[in-house]
Amino acid sequence: MNVSAHMEAVYAEVRRRNPGEAEFHQAAAEVLDSLAPALERHPDYLAAGIVERLCEPERQLIFRVPWVDDQGAVRVNRGFRVEFNSALGPYKGGLRFHPSVNLGIVKFLGFEQIFKNALTGMAIGGGKGGSDFDPKGRSDAEVMRFCQSFMTELYRHLGEHTDVPAGDIGVGAREIGYLFGQYKRITNRYESGVLTGKAIGWGGSQVRTEATGYGAVFFAEEMLATRGEGFDGRRVVVSGSGNVAVYAVEKVHALGGRVVACSDSSGYLVDEDGIDLDLLKDVKEVRRERISAYADAKPTARFSARGTVYDVLCDIALPCATQNELGREDAVALVKHGVRAVAEGANMPCTPEAVRVFQEAGILFGPGKAANAGGVATSALEMQQNASRESWSFEQTEARLAEVMRDVHSQCRNTAEEYGGKADDYVTGANVSGFLRVARAMAAQGVI
């Protein structure tokens, strides 16, 4: 069987079955393009239809979420949960509350989650969910009523051995608290392990808030070390200013780097003195204001509503905002400015054209399914602590996170060398390594 032709046929079927879902098509193409060497060595996976089954979610849920705002008006949003693959364990993946959320976005995220979760080496499958609800500008009472309505429908599909959501864009500790409270109220069970990202005082894990940002920096550090380099003294640009970006900044500074720019949807901020982390946290986490408020408060900083954060000179770039934020022109600018490494803190923030630019230029590139696996890895550690009724220290949990990211890096590098020929091809390494772990489990469990 011609493997390349088979992959083309699978991709054509993905496009036919999922019309208009551009992000899902992109995520599927990126994985399918990498799998030929693995499938040539394991033709039994082709015969078992593993790839075809991987591209079709086990279950897709779409539901209405009605709620009442503070003025007494009835609002209606749409909720989603895509339970993509449970070969390795219960479905695991975040909930995203943002106006851009649709079925195609959730499917792309859930598909990525299969491979990301497999790379952690933990017993978790892949899933994702969310809603087109926007928590920005809403009162706590409105967010609570929305979350309660959302969980009233979703709860019947969840369980610590079935499906375990976490947070994502627009879903932090506040939202997780309201969701968990409603789940507990409906089921009359205190299942701590049914949601992760909880507050530390009632079942949450230390480092969970920091995990995705820290993990991306740990992965970048491992990539740089292969060339005898590190963060010390390096200029770093971080896109975004949400949870992932904030804690990526924190860890870069701890490792001796200097983050000189970050951004949000309104523009980007440059502070040559290095981003003041306390001020950034106050603006984004306490006041919930736009990034321009940072520049208003600090004379050394400047805000720009034009251009992108990737126009800023840097040695290392950490895209931590959202999908497809870094395009070909941005990649060309970064390479021209001498960037040494790029690690995706967000899910698929670099377009395929941008990735190609980095690879052709020999830039170290860490794809999101590997570089941002720290968040879900720490979620799995939270599940482990919940199951054993334990609570680990910050230092203990961070050490486990660093160990997981080192293992993910080694796994990607070794697999790339074995199947792709180039140890620095982390895209092939991540895709093939994650695929093989899931494929073995699927083959063992039969055609289901």
Side-chain angles (χ1 to χ4, degrees), residues 237 268 306-314 329-330 333-334 337:
V237 159
Y268 69 95
R306 295 185 178 183
T308 78
V309 73
Y310 304 112
D311 296 332
V312 180
L313 186 70
C314 66
E329 289 184 5
D330 301 315
L334 286 169
H337 293 157

Side-chain angles (χ1 to χ4, degrees), residues 34 37 41 412-426 428-429 432:
S34 303
R41 201 174 299 187
C412 291
R413 194 170 175 83
N414 294 339
T415 303
E417 204 163 20
E418 182 180 355
Y419 287 89
K422 295 180 180 179
D424 286 349
D425 185 357
Y426 292 98
T428 295
V432 173

Side-chain angles (χ1 to χ4, degrees), residues 127-139:
K128 204 76 177 185
S131 173
D132 56 1
F133 170 76
D134 190 356
K136 285 183 180 176
R138 294 293 176 187
S139 69

Side-chain angles (χ1 to χ4, degrees), residues 46 60 64 73 78 84 144 169 178 181 185 187 201 221 239 273 276 280 307 320 362 370 374 385 391 401 404 440 446:
L46 283 177
Q60 302 179 61
R64 182 178 65 201
R78 181 172 286 180
F84 225 115
M144 180 185 71
I169 293 172
Y178 294 146
R185 179 188 194 183
T187 62
E221 184 182 32
S239 74
D273 287 350
D276 182 327
L280 181 63
C320 296
Q385 291 170 77
S391 181
L401 169 62
V404 168
R440 292 186 195 105

Side-chain angles (χ1 to χ4, degrees), residues 11 19 22 87 99 115 138 169 172 198 216 237 243 248 263 277 289 306 313 330 363 422 444 448:
Y11 180 61
F115 304 94
R138 294 293 176 187
I169 293 172
K198 302 182 293 294
V237 159
N243 177 266
S263 63
L277 192 62
E289 293 181 351
R306 295 185 178 183
L313 186 70
D330 301 315
I363 305 303
K422 295 180 180 179
I448 58 171

Side-chain angles (χ1 to χ4, degrees), residues 150-205:
F150 184 88
M151 183 55 78
T152 298
E153 177 60 35
L154 186 61
Y155 86 94
R156 68 196 78 227
H157 303 286
L158 306 183
E160 56 190 353
H161 303 297
T162 305
D163 187 351
V164 182
D168 192 77
I169 293 172
V171 179
R174 174 183 62 173
E175 288 77 15
I176 292 293
Y178 294 146
L179 291 165
F180 181 79
Q182 185 72 352
Y183 179 88
K184 179 168 65 76
R185 179 188 194 183
I186 294 170
T187 62
N188 194 34
R189 294 192 300 271
Y190 200 107
E191 294 180 1
S192 294
V194 77
L195 283 166
T196 58
K198 302 182 293 294
I200 292 171
W202 50 276
S205 173

Side-chain angles (χ1 to χ4, degrees), residues 60-387:
Q60 302 179 61
L61 310 168
I62 305 177
F63 51 94
R64 182 178 65 201
V65 188
W67 56 284
V68 179
D69 69 19
D70 286 344
Q71 285 69 48
V74 175
R75 304 276 185 164
V76 179
N77 287 97
R78 181 172 286 180
F80 304 90
R81 187 69 179 171
V82 173
E83 298 177 329
F84 225 115
N85 190 284
S86 59
L88 296 177
Y91 309 105
K92 187 83 190 78
L95 297 171
R96 175 176 293 191
F97 292 170
H98 191 271
S100 66
V101 170
N102 56 43
L103 184 59
I105 294 283
V106 175
K107 279 160 76 173
F108 125 64
L109 292 167
F111 186 72
E112 288 275 294
Q113 203 80 40
I114 300 170
F115 304 94
K116 182 190 305 185
N117 293 1
L119 284 170
T120 68
M122 298 176 176
I124 43 178
K128 204 76 177 185
S131 173
D132 56 1
F133 170 76
D134 190 356
K136 285 183 180 176
R138 294 293 176 187
S139 69
D140 287 351
E142 287 176 321
V143 172
M144 180 185 71
R145 288 193 290 273
F146 172 82
C147 288
Q148 289 175 343
S149 181
F150 184 88
M151 183 55 78
T152 298
E153 177 60 35
L154 186 61
Y155 86 94
R156 68 196 78 227
H157 303 286
L158 306 183
E160 56 190 353
H161 303 297
T162 305
D163 187 351
V164 182
D168 192 77
I169 293 172
V171 179
R174 174 183 62 173
E175 288 77 15
I176 292 293
Y178 294 146
L179 291 165
F180 181 79
Q182 185 72 352
Y183 179 88
K184 179 168 65 76
R185 179 188 194 183
I186 294 170
T187 62
N188 194 34
R189 294 192 300 271
Y190 200 107
E191 294 180 1
S192 294
V194 77
L195 283 166
T196 58
K198 302 182 293 294
I200 292 171
W202 50 276
S205 173
Q206 299 272 7
V207 193
R208 179 59 192 92
T209 303
E210 299 87 351
T212 308
Y214 277 21
V217 175
F218 287 146
F219 192 90
E221 184 182 32
E222 292 295 316
M223 290 198 301
L224 289 163
T226 66
R227 297 185 179 177
E229 302 177 19
F231 276 96
D232 194 32
R234 296 292 190 179
R235 286 173 60 93
V236 182
V237 159
V238 176
S239 74
S241 51
N243 177 266
V244 180
V246 164
Y247 292 100
V249 172
E250 184 170 279
K251 184 51 67 176
V252 168
H253 287 175
L255 294 175
R258 178 163 53 100
V259 177
V260 295
C262 59
S263 63
D264 65 14
S265 58
S266 68
Y268 69 95
L269 167 83
V270 179
D271 188 343
E272 291 292 345
D273 287 350
I275 296 296
D276 182 327
L277 192 62
D278 290 337
L279 177 57
L280 181 63
K281 287 182 178 180
D282 180 59
V283 169
K284 302 305 291 188
E285 298 180 349
V286 179
R287 290 189 265 161
R288 298 180 185 266
E289 293 181 351
R290 310 308 289 162
I291 198 75
S292 56
Y294 179 107
D296 293 339
K298 196 171 183 207
T300 60
R302 62 179 175 83
F303 170 78
S304 176
R306 295 185 178 183
T308 78
V309 73
Y310 304 112
D311 296 332
V312 180
L313 186 70
C314 66
D315 302 305
I316 300 160
L318 302 174
C320 296
T322 191
Q323 66 270 5
N324 292 327
E325 60 168 282
L326 196 162
R328 184 183 183 281
E329 289 184 5
D330 301 315
V332 169
L334 286 169
V335 171
K336 182 180 178 181
H337 293 157
V339 73
R340 309 290 298 164
V342 178
E344 294 186 320
N347 292 300
M348 205 171 71
C350 299
T351 66
E353 295 78 16
V355 175
R356 202 168 300 121
V357 169
F358 294 138
Q359 291 179 323
E360 289 174 355
I363 305 303
L364 291 165
F365 175 73
K369 61 173 64 70
N372 71 34
V376 74
T378 307
S379 281
L381 297 179
E382 182 174 331
M383 292 166 66
Q384 185 177 335
Q385 291 170 77
N386 293 159

